[in-house]
Amino acid sequence: MDVLLDIWQRITTPHAALAPLTAWLTVAAAGAIVLFTPAWRLARHVITIVHEGGHGVIAVLSGRRLGGIRLHSDTSGLTVSRGRPSGPGMILTLLAGYPAAALLGLGAAWLLSLGYDVGLLWALLALLALLLVQIRNWFGLWSVAVTGAVVFGVSWFGSPLVQGVFALLVTAFLLFGALRTSLELQRPRSRRAGSSSDADQLARLTHVPGIFWVAVFLGVQLLCLALSARLLTFDQI
């Protein structure tokens, strides 16, 4: 009981805002991770986890049966759901993947704007725990477990400064990383090599060109980035 009360107190106690310089350096570090290809190759697994989780959540909410999620070492993933192969449920499920990281980043920015950086970390832990039970391959289990261990370590053992910096780093990385994945999606599509991508599957289901769906992904991601920037102003960071 004491442990649960301690956790609840950590989650519900807002922290002091980061100094503006520290906040900007953290955001710049997140941008560097996304732009520096060797770092991106490793960190992109986090975006894949959120991407496939987005497919899974919307599949369940739209009435489809979630069959499981696989995460692969090449940063690709697969979410299997059962139901009608067409219709609104399938379309929404396909739509959910690429915007998922940006939408999660927006929610994270909202929590940070209120000072709940530790609350954000524990919310991420809860989401990872829910995702873990749907993973159906060993690499996926390892990937989610390691991510959860890092988040837990910072949330439990980190100082308030470390927790605040890490929470902002994750938030900015989700927002920037989401944009890069959509830009990467369009490159193989422009060379006619992306026929199995979410955008191309949506194109086949809706008879609307795949480039339109890529634009939708980018539009949602840019909107989330803009709203997050308004939430995380210098007065609040």
Side-chain angles (χ1 to χ4, degrees), residues 51-68:
H51 179 112
E52 299 304 329
H55 283 314
V57 168
I58 299 304
V60 172
L61 292 178
S62 63
R64 299 179 64 81
R65 293 181 59 189
L66 185 59

Side-chain angles (χ1 to χ4, degrees), residues 48 52 68-72 76-80 134-138 140:
T48 302
E52 299 304 329
I69 295 172
R70 292 177 175 270
L71 305 171
H72 304 132
S76 66
L78 175 66
T79 298
V80 177
Q134 295 296 335
I135 299 296
R136 296 295 183 265
N137 67 324
W138 286 110

Side-chain angles (χ1 to χ4, degrees), residues 196-233:
S196 63
S197 72
D198 292 354
D200 290 288
Q201 291 183 70
L202 283 164
R204 287 193 289 272
L205 284 174
T206 63
H207 306 292
V208 176
I211 187 63
F212 170 81
W213 297 110
V214 176
V216 170
F217 298 155
L218 285 168
V220 172
Q221 292 159 353
L222 288 169
L223 179 61
C224 288
L225 181 60
L227 293 174
S228 298
R230 291 196 64 179
L231 287 168
L232 298 174
T233 62

Side-chain angles (χ1 to χ4, degrees), residues 113-125:
S113 72
L114 300 176
Y116 296 118
D117 44 4
V118 178
L120 166 60
L121 298 180
W122 279 90
L124 294 176
L125 279 174

Side-chain angles (χ1 to χ4, degrees), residues 141-161:
L141 288 171
W142 179 86
S143 182
V144 174
V146 168
T147 303
V150 172
V151 175
F152 174 77
V154 173
S155 66
W156 193 259
F157 301 107
S159 66
L161 176 60

Side-chain angles (χ1 to χ4, degrees), residues 16-139:
L18 292 174
L21 177 60
T22 302
W24 273 116
L25 289 174
T26 303
V27 171
I33 292 171
V34 172
L35 292 174
F36 185 53
T37 300
W40 171 245
R41 286 177 183 148
L42 178 62
R44 195 187 191 284
H45 288 288
V46 175
I47 302 294
T48 302
I49 289 171
V50 180
H51 179 112
E52 299 304 329
H55 283 314
V57 168
I58 299 304
V60 172
L61 292 178
S62 63
R64 299 179 64 81
R65 293 181 59 189
L66 185 59
I69 295 172
R70 292 177 175 270
L71 305 171
H72 304 132
S73 58
D74 63 355
T75 72
S76 66
L78 175 66
T79 298
V80 177
S81 62
R82 298 180 178 88
R84 288 183 57 195
S86 61
M90 190 66 211
I91 291 171
L92 289 173
T93 298
L94 288 169
L95 269 172
Y98 279 93
L103 290 168
L104 182 60
L106 176 59
W110 174 69
L111 286 175
L112 289 184
S113 72
L114 300 176
Y116 296 118
D117 44 4
V118 178
L120 166 60
L121 298 180
W122 279 90
L124 294 176
L125 279 174
L127 292 174
L128 287 169
L130 291 173
L131 180 64
L132 191 64
V133 300
Q134 295 296 335
I135 299 296
R136 296 295 183 265
N137 67 324
W138 286 110
F139 181 83

